[in-house]
Amino acid sequence: MKTFVLLPFFLTVTAAFAADPIKFISPDKNSALLVDKSGRRDLIELKSGKTVHRLFYEDLDALFKPKLALAFDASLNKVGKIVLPTFISARWISPEEVEVKGESGVTINDDDTEEFTFTAAVLRNGTVKDLVVAPKK
């Protein structure tokens, strides 16, 4: 019986300490970039109206592999697993475009993980317009 009484109290206290996502609201207030750093990996989402686009997750290989091959001077088939990105900063360039900076790691030639930084220009519809990748060294 005591557990039943303490459980709602514990859940309420835990929810009070939960981290709210970081919000970057567009200049026209119609979109927002949401970054949740409370988990093991950062969750970066672009919310435009009722539509939510999770950035740098499903399309990670298609977006990053060609740029990483150029940045690390490796062939495309030698670019291996890419670590989910960590958020660094963001700013709205215009009401239609947000610039997101982050860092991550990639395995090149089956060696150790190489770290890199990136800057992505993302349109309001979730499309990555431009991506610049640079080795972290």
Side-chain angles (χ1 to χ4, degrees):
M1 183 66 178
K2 289 181 182 180
T3 305
F4 181 71
V5 173
L6 291 177
L7 184 61
F9 175 74
F10 178 72
L11 292 175
T12 304
V13 170
T14 304
F17 290 109
D20 288 332
I22 304 167
K23 295 179 184 178
F24 297 90
I25 299 173
S26 68
D28 65 358
K29 313 272 191 267
N30 289 330
S31 299
L33 183 74
L34 307 172
V35 181
D36 185 357
K37 296 179 80 59
S38 65
R40 187 170 155 220
R41 288 284 172 204
D42 296 352
L43 179 64
I44 306 168
E45 295 178 330
L46 183 59
K47 184 176 180 183
S48 195
K50 291 183 180 181
T51 307
V52 177
H53 303 280
R54 186 168 179 188
L55 303 178
F56 316 120
Y57 186 71
E58 287 107 13
D59 55 353
L60 195 63
D61 286 344
L63 281 175
F64 282 92
K65 278 194 175 185
K67 302 288 186 174
L68 288 167
L70 288 173
F72 287 99
D73 196 27
S75 64
L76 192 58
N77 62 350
K78 295 294 182 179
V79 177
K81 183 173 170 50
I82 302 169
V83 178
L84 288 174
T86 302
F87 175 80
I88 295 177
S89 68
R91 70 182 179 100
W92 283 90
I93 300 170
S94 73
E96 296 292 323
E97 189 174 350
V98 64
E99 180 184 77
V100 179
K101 293 185 180 187
E103 60 186 9
S104 186
V106 62
T107 305
I108 305 285
N109 296 326
D110 296 326
D111 291 335
D112 292 331
T113 302
E114 299 284 342
E115 294 183 349
F116 65 92
T117 60
F118 68 90
T119 302
V122 183
L123 298 176
R124 181 181 289 198
N125 65 5
T127 305
V128 177
K129 178 181 165 187
D130 188 35
L131 178 67
V132 177
V133 174
K136 202 169 178 180
K137 293 181 181 183

